[in-house]
Amino acid sequence: MRSYRMFVLVLMVLAATTPLYAGDQEPAPGTADYIIGPGDVLLISVWNNEALTRPVTVLPDGKIHFPLINEVVAGGKTLSVLQKELDQKIAAFVPDPNLSVMVQQVNSMLIYVVGKVNHPGRFALNTNVNVLQAIATAGGLNPFAKSNKIRIFRETNGNTRMLPFEYDRVVQGENLEQNIRLERGDVVVVP
């Protein structure tokens, strides 16, 4: 019965925190501020040149391969930065290129939810997700979860930080600042 009440409470919180229309949302992957990562599929097109219009996959080392210019590092860059770099490099071969770069498929926005949830695993994101939404995506907490000892592990510049998350307090409307937006590579651990 407790898990059913918690499930209903989670749905209520999710409904309250989910934007009703696109104007409420933060910039989604695929916008100019999106940081390209390994596994993403980019569509690079040069206007009026079918031979230079193709999808490319960002390799695990962050590089892409493109005709005429070979390898280019794309990982860690925004779309606009990569577009400028490609435009400069391709200009040596194609006069006045009209080049565009778009995200065709987001594959690098991965988070992990492990431990005592109903469906632990790796989850690909195509929108911004907070901790409660990630737990809901993983099927919710199982009856043996220590709900107030959840931790989020975030790696930044080679350093790992541990962020606390007290599930019971957050779903009661307390400590809402713990319900953070998850970032690429975050690991939610439910003991």
Side-chain angles (χ1 to χ4, degrees), residues 70-161:
N70 296 323
E71 280 187 351
V72 176
V73 175
K77 296 178 181 174
T78 63
L79 293 172
S80 57
V81 168
L82 179 63
Q83 182 172 328
K84 286 177 188 171
E85 186 178 326
L86 291 173
D87 200 41
Q88 290 171 353
K89 290 184 180 211
I90 206 85
F93 305 99
V94 178
D96 196 27
N98 187 357
L99 185 132
S100 67
V101 179
M102 296 176 280
V103 178
Q104 191 171 32
Q105 187 174 353
V106 176
N107 294 325
S108 67
M109 294 295 292
L110 299 174
I111 61 159
Y112 305 84
V113 183
V114 298
K116 294 180 180 150
V117 290
N118 291 314
H119 305 289
R122 176 178 79 168
F123 299 92
L125 305 179
N126 59 7
T127 187
N128 294 310
V129 172
N130 62 36
V131 180
L132 278 177
Q133 291 167 330
I135 291 170
T137 301
L141 303 177
N142 76 27
F144 304 105
K146 295 178 181 165
S147 59
N148 288 327
K149 296 190 183 269
I150 297 171
R151 301 290 181 255
I152 297 98
F153 290 84
R154 175 171 292 165
E155 188 173 326
T156 308
N157 298 327
N159 297 318
T160 301
R161 290 186 324 165

Side-chain angles (χ1 to χ4, degrees), residues 51-65:
L52 294 177
T53 298
R54 63 185 60 212
V56 295
T57 302
V58 181
L59 299 174
D61 63 1
K63 295 178 182 175
I64 60 170
H65 295 273

